[in-house]
Amino acid sequence: MKTQYYNAVTQKENGTKLAGQVLRAGGLVAFPTETVYGLGADGLNEEAVLRIFEAKGRPGDNPLILHVARKSDAKDLWTRVPEKARQLMDAFWPGPLTLVYDRAACVPDAVTAGLGTVAVRMPSHKTALALLRAAGVPVAAPSANLSGKPSPTTAAHVKRDLDGKIDVILDGGPCEVGVESTVLSLLGQPTILRPGGITREMIEAVIGAVALSPAILSPLKEGEAAASPGMKYKHYAPQAEVRIAPPGSPRAIASSICAAYDVAGRAGKRCVIFATEQTRGFYCNREYAIIGDRKNPSTLCANLFAALRSYDDGAADLILCEPLDESDMGLAYMNRLLRAAGFAVLQPGVPL
Ligand code: TXA
Ligand code: MG
């Protein structure tokens, strides 16, 4: 299959109109959102939805998010709109918050992986909204990467993973948030299944206490059921190994990273440090990349996936990363980083 490229910036509405027609005809379109690029198909067309799983190599038991152009579209996809959903939609839609609730009968099994619930979100990216309006249907869309790889935050990342496997890539420039949406279940006690651009603190200011799924910061135990099936799969893995320093002061974090760098370097590994504005001074004579400002975790979220991908193709064997506090956007950052590292944290004296 030949993948067509449309540019949402230079072709303006034409690009989104053409891409919308492809979706209506059952095709696959990668498109920008404020979080990451999505790989969309008509969410009410089971055959089209199944093509997403095939193109990504995604396990069939990992459900998809339905993307809508208007808040009012959610009511057709759920059995009803609970009061807390209404409050959250008013506060945060359009934006990076996905809400999970009981599914309506029109939602195909392929979207929900047979679950009784469906995840819905209204993105805020102008191109995403224009495409959703042009398509005129709810659009099922996971991140537009090969399953297991870091999510794509540019059209070039999508091309690298999916060129020749999908109908259209709609280029709308780099994504702003850089990590995927927050996934919040509204069945019973509201529970964050995946942290993202709308933080726990922001949600609690609107609906009161929310729980955090234990799978956010630790691996699922053998045989444990996942509230969100996506949690059980290997995620965000670049080609290099990733290791995280244990928590501590910036100086202590940098010192464990330098020790690991030097040990790995002596063993012939090519290492790179993902540094921050605050710690760059600790890493002199070592290879590092500044990926953000520790005082503003959103900056690290915005750059993480692109930074991981930039060391693919053998550019590094080992990527050493700093942990952040797990509050506000630091929680989303640590959730992605721990998965990229396969939960591997550096331990003093323990071989890498
Ligand atoms: O920001 C985003 O959410 C991006 C953009 C493209 O919108 N999409 C995205 O989709 O990240 P995906 O498929 O990569 O991640 C969806 C997550 C998975 O962890 C999945 O298991 C979970 O949402 N999920 C989907 N439907 C669910 C449901 N009914 N119950 C629980 N978890 C669900
Ligand atoms: Mg994904």
Side-chain angles (χ1 to χ4, degrees), residues 193 213-215 219-232:
L193 305 178
S213 162
L220 284 170
K221 297 188 193 75
E222 195 79 27
E224 195 176 345
S228 186
M231 292 286 187
K232 69 183 183 201

Side-chain angles (χ1 to χ4, degrees), residues 324-340:
L324 289 181
D325 287 344
E326 289 145 8
S327 55
D328 294 303
M329 285 299 279
L331 183 66
Y333 183 74
M334 290 308 292
N335 169 264
R336 307 313 191 274
L337 190 59
L338 282 161
R339 283 177 165 70

Side-chain angles (χ1 to χ4, degrees), residues 112-148:
T112 68
L115 294 177
T117 56
V118 65
V120 183
R121 109 170 175 95
M122 178 182 177
S124 62
H125 195 289
K126 264 192 357 213
T127 303
L129 286 172
L131 175 68
L132 292 171
R133 282 193 295 266
V137 289
V139 171
S143 48
N145 51 285
L146 286 176
S147 204

Side-chain angles (χ1 to χ4, degrees), residues 5-294:
Y5 288 84
Y6 299 141
N7 190 310
V9 182
T10 53
Q11 290 178 286
K12 298 222 170 61
E13 296 91 68
N14 266 346
T16 44
K17 266 198 199 125
L18 290 170
Q21 283 164 12
V22 171
L23 285 174
R24 292 177 76 91
L28 298 187
V29 173
F31 63 99
T33 81
E34 70 280 17
T35 58
V36 301
Y37 274 74
L39 177 59
D42 176 349
L44 301 181
N45 174 344
E46 182 129 45
E47 218 174 289
V49 170
L50 288 171
R51 293 185 56 213
I52 293 180
F53 288 86
E54 203 182 298
K56 274 183 64 101
R58 181 176 175 109
D61 65 350
N62 193 3
L64 305 177
I65 297 171
L66 288 179
H67 295 67
V68 294
R70 289 163 220 84
K71 291 181 196 176
S72 57
D73 292 347
K75 70 175 183 318
D76 303 326
L77 305 173
W78 291 325
T79 49
R80 67 186 183 91
V81 181
E83 183 51 28
K84 284 187 172 141
R86 207 175 293 281
Q87 292 169 324
L88 291 166
M89 286 155 67
D90 282 343
F92 302 119
W93 280 15
L97 176 67
T98 295
L99 298 173
V100 173
Y101 195 64
D102 289 320
R103 71 192 261 203
C106 65
V107 178
D109 278 343
V111 170
T112 68
L115 294 177
T117 56
V118 65
V120 183
R121 109 170 175 95
M122 178 182 177
S124 62
H125 195 289
K126 264 192 357 213
T127 303
L129 286 172
L131 175 68
L132 292 171
R133 282 193 295 266
V137 289
V139 171
S143 48
N145 51 285
L146 286 176
S147 204
K149 290 273 143 207
S151 296
T153 55
T154 66
H157 298 159
V158 179
K159 176 170 196 251
R160 165 149 195 169
D161 280 12
L162 297 174
D163 192 36
K165 296 184 169 167
I166 63 178
D167 299 284
V168 171
I169 296 178
L170 187 56
D171 187 345
C175 303
E176 206 181 309
V177 180
V179 292
E180 308 86 340
S181 62
T182 306
V183 179
L184 179 75
S185 166
L186 290 173
L187 296 178
Q189 159 76 355
T191 303
I192 294 181
L193 305 178
R194 178 179 73 184
I198 302 295
T199 64
R200 177 191 203 170
E201 291 81 354
M202 291 161 77
I203 295 170
E204 289 191 330
V206 176
I207 59 163
V210 302
L212 289 185
S213 162
I216 289 174
L217 293 174
S218 36
L220 284 170
K221 297 188 193 75
E222 195 79 27
E224 195 176 345
S228 186
M231 292 286 187
K232 69 183 183 201
Y233 294 107
K234 191 172 167 202
H235 260 111
Y236 316 125
Q239 286 170 8
E241 279 186 285
V242 179
R243 294 285 179 279
I244 311 171
S249 66
R251 177 181 291 276
I253 289 171
S255 137
S256 40
I257 287 184
C258 288
Y261 185 106
D262 295 346
V263 169
R266 282 195 293 275
K269 285 193 186 173
R270 266 164 319 156
C271 308
V272 61
I273 299 165
F274 281 4
T276 51
E277 296 296 349
Q278 286 76 13
T279 53
R280 63 199 302 167
F282 295 118
Y283 300 126
C284 47
N285 299 327
R286 298 179 180 87
E287 191 181 334
Y288 65 85
I290 306 279
I291 66 158
D293 173 350
R294 296 180 61 78

